[in-house]
Amino acid sequence: MPDGIAYGGDWNPEQWSEETWEQDVALMREAGVNRVSVGIFSWSSLEPVEGVFDFGWFDRVMDLLAENGIGANLATPTASPPPWFSDAYPQALPVDADGRRLHHGSRQGFCPSSPIYREKALRIAEQVALRYRDHPALALWHVHNEYGCHNARCYCDTSAAAFRAWLRARYDTLDALNEAWGTAFWSQRYSDWAQILPPRATPSFPNPGQQLDFRRFSSDALVELYRAERDLLRQLTPDVPATTNLMAGAHWDMDCWAFAAELDVVSTDHYLIGARRERHIDLAFAADYARSLNGGRPWLLMEHSTSAVNWQPRNLAKAPGELRRNSLSHLARGADGIMFFQWRQSRAGAEKWHSAMLPHAGTDTKIWREVVALGAELAGLGDVAGSTVTADVALLLDHSSVWAQDHPAQPTAELDPVEEAKRWHAALWRAGVTCDLAHPEGDLSGYRLVVVPQLYLVSDEGAANLEEFARRGGAVVVGPYSGIVDEHDRVRLGGYPGAWRDLLGVSVEEFLPLDAPIRLASGATGSVWSEAARVTTAKVLDTYATGEPAWTRNEFGDGFAHYLTTLLDDAALAEVLATACREAGVAAAAAGVPGLEVVRRSHPDGRSFLFAINHTAEDADVTLDGGRTVTVAAGDAVVIPG
């Protein structure tokens, strides 16, 4: 990272004549750009014919950046193989679950398990590294781009063989695999490793254990591709950090926890979803997730948009000031770099309608004026770099649980663990409570409160971890359909929620999905889900009309655990979480001020920065330590050193 905040975006000079490059760099300096990502989609320009390399044009690009004091996130261009690759090696193209081979014409057209793809990808990565390892513009390796965005799972024969090898390493014996997958059901018991395939299209539901392990294998295959390129780059440039841009909070086909462990610095892309209410809260979820993936350390926003994107059914432009608010929200939640896709808006290609820092209409535009103003503001916030965000609350999230619950044979199709996690996070956001995300097996010791919106699958280690947190005095809130199965998607017997019956002091006999909202004794409503539960050691705080518990609280060790047996309406959920926060001693920032986002970043030496971002059309007041009040104008944001 540069001194201060990294600012810039993807620069794709290969799309433009060289006469444009000088103008681009001059405008970058005007906008305060100090970092650009280059080379991401340049494989066909760097290696136009297999084995024939052309770096002359790219030398001039890198030299221009160095001459103007702009650092390069230098990409290995392996996310988009050239036409010659698919023409020469059609067996390396991906195959979907229906057996269709996908062809060249977009990007990420390769099977992640293909040895031919890996060989060619490592060759171009090595050529780039050898050429530019001593170049003064090189600041960071940007390995690949958005792994698995379009080819997260491949079902070809090469992938099938790699899947079997992965399973052998995981289970060692067929007996262990058959036990884990429950293959006695539907006569699926395997007698030879060669019989095992990816979960291709079948007449009915696939085996849940097979589907879950294939998701895990597919994620691991992408991590292994990253690791191969990263290790090569480390050999050639041991002092240059490496990253790849995850899509934390938006892309659920990769295990981001596993991927983040391999990165020198976590970077991510985030785009607003047009149809979402309160899009800025979804942004906060993604930013909090990125920070958590980096262990609380600063992270890099590799991409977001200056205005509209191009890939939604209706691509909404950002309102005046929204570009700034979005950027400062990411900064407030731990980003040390604010970057966009892309620098100059494309004239042709599939993303020509995706906004950019320099739009089609040029510099006499709202977007350009806001880009220049943001660059100047970030330059003045250099002291924020390196500071961190401290959260008292953690929300448990695990990709394996999301994947397991994605199996079609569930009690109801209306439970969405990701949306429920976002809903609980949003309730905390509205209460002014900053929240980390955490893996169920991660370190929870630094938190006062841990919330578990919907964790269908949990390992024995994860289950014990949460129990130990409560036993030592922590506060817990668990939502329905949590702790139900083990890491192989096998039901925990003896009554639900199997992993946490003792922690919660509740035993559930039967799930009772709902086809209409249900009224609780308190006047709250539940929807989608209910359970036939009875308390063992817990106290009942709210019930259904039938008298069965809807909200319980159980003392456990030196701590306590709340449990919900339904999806409460937003207001009732907010009250449950507010109750748990009060009991746990979790303080809220600017509580009771709807739409006002308040987050603090701090340095170890005591310096801090309070970000107050007003997402509403009305002025809002924030009270600082010591009682001083600061008014944040409608749609404005302020950063207050402390």
Side-chain angles (χ1 to χ4, degrees), residues 272-297:
L272 300 177
I273 304 299
R276 279 194 184 278
R277 182 170 60 94
E278 298 178 307
R279 300 191 303 173
H280 52 276
I281 302 182
D282 189 66
L283 183 158
F285 178 89
D288 288 343
Y289 193 13
R291 180 184 69 249
S292 303
L293 289 169
N294 210 33
R297 297 180 298 277

Side-chain angles (χ1 to χ4, degrees), residues 510 512 514 518-522 524 529-534 540 542-551 565-566:
E510 188 177 8
L512 305 172
L514 301 173
I518 189 170
R519 181 72 63 176
L520 277 59
S522 64
W529 187 265
S530 66
E531 298 174 354
R534 61 179 176 84
V540 177
D542 203 355
T543 67
Y544 304 109
T546 56
E548 292 175 313
W551 174 17
T565 64
T566 188

Side-chain angles (χ1 to χ4, degrees), residues 426-479:
L428 292 166
W429 187 100
R430 294 187 196 102
V433 175
T434 302
C435 175
D436 283 347
L437 283 78
H439 190 276
E441 297 173 20
D443 182 8
L444 305 178
S445 61
Y447 301 106
R448 295 176 180 269
L449 171 65
V450 172
V451 300
V452 189
Q454 200 172 114
L455 196 68
Y456 163 74
L457 176 151
V458 65
S459 66
D460 291 345
E461 293 79 6
N465 193 37
L466 187 63
E467 280 196 346
E468 185 62 19
F469 170 77
R471 185 177 288 111
R472 294 188 177 185
V476 173
V477 184
V478 177

Side-chain angles (χ1 to χ4, degrees), residues 96-145:
D96 69 12
D98 292 321
R100 298 180 306 164
R101 188 171 295 280
L102 306 181
H103 297 281
H104 181 84
S106 57
R107 61 178 183 173
Q108 293 188 330
F110 62 88
C111 163
S113 297
S114 167
I116 295 172
Y117 166 76
R118 179 166 170 160
E119 174 192 335
K120 305 306 178 186
L122 288 175
R123 183 179 65 181
I124 186 63
E126 181 179 41
Q127 291 293 319
V128 171
L130 288 170
R131 185 83 175 192
Y132 300 109
R133 60 183 171 182
D134 296 319
H135 199 283
L138 175 60
L140 177 72
W141 285 115
H142 181 315
V143 180
H144 200 81
N145 187 74

Side-chain angles (χ1 to χ4, degrees), residues 563-610:
Y563 184 54
L564 304 176
T565 64
T566 188
L567 304 190
L568 290 177
D569 63 79
D570 287 351
L573 176 62
E575 177 56 32
V576 169
L577 294 177
T579 298
C581 284
R582 286 194 300 270
E583 293 175 330
V586 173
V593 184
L596 182 64
E597 179 176 7
V598 180
V599 185
R600 186 180 298 277
R601 289 186 62 166
S602 301
H603 284 288
D605 62 9
R607 290 177 298 142
S608 68
F609 304 86
L610 187 74

Side-chain angles (χ1 to χ4, degrees), residues 319-326 328 370 377 594-596 612-620 631-638:
E322 192 173 4
L323 180 158
R324 175 175 178 255
R325 290 196 303 276
N326 291 167
L328 292 182
E370 291 192 355
E377 184 171 13
L596 182 64
I613 305 167
N614 188 349
H615 298 281
T616 76
E618 303 290 336
D619 294 354
T631 298
V632 186
D636 198 8
V638 296

